[in-house]
Amino acid sequence: MTTNFTPTIRKPNEGRTIAVVGDVYRFMATSEDTNGKYAMWEAIVPPGGGPPPHVHSREEESFYILEGEITFQIGEERVVATVGMFANMPAGTPHTFKNESSLSAKMLISIAPAGLEEMFFEFGVPLSEGSTSALPPTKDEIEKLLAIAPNYGIEIRVPHHD
């Protein structure tokens, strides 16, 4: 890993932008920018959006709500997070989030250490900078996520239907 001593500046709408299971992620900082210390991105989560329940084995993940509201499921606990609220999930914490409202939500997500963003780059759908919406995820996108997540230390907890 090369050492980067160059400040990273992103103007509004700048930054690599991808669709991740229907949400829009715009990356402010990646491992390359922070010498692997952390990664941070803006997430726009449409109504009904959010990832499946999962557990990170490697990194802490934090969330800061900028617009709208996001419902977190942390183990058995449900928390409705509104503007200005912050949540941190230590490694090993089962969690998910979903936008259960009728309006899009926006939040900052950060992980430490960095590296998980490479998983999103591997299966996400590239969008042009400034994009604020994405198509719903395809079956192929979801299957690719399920296949590669373990390579990044992520356990996806797919609901089982009897």
Side-chain angles (χ1 to χ4, degrees), residues 105-143:
K106 186 185 286 187
M107 61 183 164
L108 288 178
I109 302 176
S110 63
I111 53 163
L116 183 64
E117 70 276 16
E118 296 300 327
M119 179 182 81
F120 300 132
F121 298 153
E122 189 174 332
F123 83 89
V125 178
L127 298 171
S128 58
E129 282 191 338
S131 293
T132 58
S133 63
L135 294 172
T138 64
K139 189 172 190 282
D140 284 348
E141 186 183 352
I142 292 167
E143 286 175 357

Side-chain angles (χ1 to χ4, degrees), residues 10-26:
R10 300 261 187 265
K11 294 179 180 155
N13 300 325
E14 285 183 345
R16 186 172 179 179
T17 306
I18 57 173
V20 175
V21 293
D23 299 347
V24 176
Y25 286 4
R26 180 172 66 94

Side-chain angles (χ1 to χ4, degrees), residues 79-158:
V79 176
V80 177
T82 54
V83 173
M85 287 181 72
F86 172 84
N88 185 69
M89 307 298 164
T93 305
H95 67 282
T96 188
F97 62 84
K98 186 170 185 170
N99 181 349
E100 295 181 343
S101 78
S102 59
L103 301 172
S104 280
K106 186 185 286 187
M107 61 183 164
L108 288 178
I109 302 176
S110 63
I111 53 163
L116 183 64
E117 70 276 16
E118 296 300 327
M119 179 182 81
F120 300 132
F121 298 153
E122 189 174 332
F123 83 89
V125 178
L127 298 171
S128 58
E129 282 191 338
S131 293
T132 58
S133 63
L135 294 172
T138 64
K139 189 172 190 282
D140 284 348
E141 186 183 352
I142 292 167
E143 286 175 357
K144 188 167 185 185
L145 168 60
L146 293 174
I148 68 170
N151 301 341
Y152 292 91
I154 301 293
E155 176 192 345
I156 306 277
R157 298 198 168 168
V158 180

Side-chain angles (χ1 to χ4, degrees), residues 23-90:
D23 299 347
V24 176
Y25 286 4
R26 180 172 66 94
F27 287 83
M28 312 294 184
T30 63
S31 183
E32 196 175 293
D33 303 314
T34 67
N35 296 316
K37 291 179 178 72
Y38 73 95
M40 179 184 285
W41 58 94
E42 173 189 83
I44 299 173
V45 184
H54 60 280
V55 179
H56 300 251
S57 65
R58 301 175 185 165
E59 57 278 311
E60 301 240 340
E61 183 175 33
S62 67
F63 305 87
Y64 181 75
I65 310 301
L66 298 169
E67 296 174 11
E69 67 181 44
I70 294 287
T71 301
F72 289 95
Q73 184 76 38
I74 308 160
E76 298 301 311
E77 183 183 5
R78 277 174 53 89
V79 176
V80 177
T82 54
V83 173
M85 287 181 72
F86 172 84
N88 185 69
M89 307 298 164

